[in-house]
Amino acid sequence: MKAIEIMMNEHRVIERLIIVVRQICKGIMNGEPICYEDFEKIIDFIRVYSDEHHHGKEEKCLFNQMLIHLGALGEKLIKGGMLVEHDLGRLYVKDLEEALERVKAGDEESKLDVIANAISYTHLLTRHIAKEDELIYPFALNKLPQEIVEEVNKACLAFEQEAAQKSVQDSYLELLSKLEEKYK
C-alpha cells in the first residue's frame, strides 16, 4: 500500500471519531452528564492515533520531503498551512482537557468550553482532511520526483510496521468501534 493511500484511509478513521465527538457534545447540550472516562479515551485517541501516528507520518515522511523538494510553494503549503493546523488541533485538545478538569472541579460554565473546544477540533479536522485529500496529497504526488515519492512510501511503510508492532492501529480501531457502538 502506498503512503498517500494509507494516510487517506487514516482520514476515514479520524472522520469516524469526529462523528463520535459530535454525538457526545450533542448529548452534553441536551443535559447528559459528561463521561470523563470516554473523553480521556478520545483525547488519548487524538494524541496517539491522530497526532503521533497519522500526523507524525505526514510530518516525518511526506511534509519534510515537500519542504526539501517543492521550494517556496511547498514551504507555504506545509509551514503556513498544514503544520499550523496540526498545532491548532493540539491547542484545542489541550484546552478541551483543561475545560474538562474545570467541570470536574464544579465549574458548570466550563461545559461551554468543553463543547466549544471539542467542536472546534472537529471543524478544524474536517476542513484539514479535505485540504489534504483534495489538495496537498495530489500536489505532492504530481510535483515530487518519482524517486522521492518512493522514498516517502518506504518511510511510511516502515513507520506503519513499527506502529503495528506496538498494536497502535489495532488497539485504536478497537477503541473507536466501542465508542461508536456507545454513541450511535
Side-chain angles (χ1 to χ4, degrees), residues 4 7-19 45 49-50 54-55 58 63 82 85-86 121-138:
I4 299 299
M7 290 185 276
M8 288 179 77
N9 287 341
E10 290 168 351
H11 282 168
R12 306 297 75 85
V13 172
I14 295 166
E15 288 169 335
R16 290 168 51 199
L17 180 75
I18 287 170
I19 292 168
F45 183 102
Y49 185 87
S50 299
H54 175 73
H55 290 158
E58 288 176 336
F63 293 170
M82 298 301 97
E85 290 181 2
H86 286 185
Y121 179 82
T122 69
H123 287 175
L124 172 69
L125 263 288
T126 298
R127 289 188 304 273
H128 182 78
I129 286 169
K131 279 186 234 173
E132 287 179 342
D133 285 354
E134 297 165 18
L135 175 70
I136 301 299
Y137 295 165

Side-chain angles (χ1 to χ4, degrees), residues 35-71:
C35 180
Y36 298 103
E37 182 181 330
D38 287 346
F39 264 114
E40 287 173 12
K41 292 174 184 173
I42 287 166
I43 289 169
D44 180 58
F45 183 102
I46 291 169
R47 286 188 171 144
V48 177
Y49 185 87
S50 299
D51 199 23
E52 288 177 25
H53 182 68
H54 175 73
H55 290 158
K57 193 169 14 260
E58 288 176 336
E59 292 172 7
K60 293 173 185 166
C61 301
L62 178 63
F63 293 170
N64 65 340
Q65 294 296 340
M66 292 177 75
L67 289 169
I68 293 167
H69 297 283
L70 299 181

Side-chain angles (χ1 to χ4, degrees), residues 18-34 39 42 111 114-116 118-119 122 183-184:
I18 287 170
I19 292 168
V20 169
V21 170
R22 293 185 61 81
Q23 285 298 107
I24 290 171
C25 288
K26 186 171 109 180
I28 295 168
M29 264 184 23
N30 291 329
E32 293 175 18
I34 293 176
F39 264 114
I42 287 166
K111 284 182 181 177
V114 168
I115 293 170
I119 294 301
T122 69
Y183 292 102
K184 60 181 170 178

Side-chain angles (χ1 to χ4, degrees), residues 14 18 74 82 84 98 109 113 115 131 153 156 175 182:
I14 295 166
I18 287 170
M82 298 301 97
V84 169
E98 291 171 359
E109 187 174 324
D113 299 314
I115 293 170
K131 279 186 234 173
N153 287 336
C156 181
L175 169 62
K182 183 174 180 179

Side-chain angles (χ1 to χ4, degrees), residues 155-183:
C156 181
L157 289 175
F159 196 106
E160 280 293 295
Q161 289 170 349
E162 186 177 320
Q165 290 174 347
K166 300 174 189 171
S167 297
V168 170
Q169 300 93 324
D170 291 342
S171 63
Y172 284 97
L173 287 173
E174 182 181 334
L175 169 62
L176 178 58
S177 292
K178 289 177 182 175
L179 289 168
E180 286 174 316
E181 184 62 31
K182 183 174 180 179
Y183 292 102

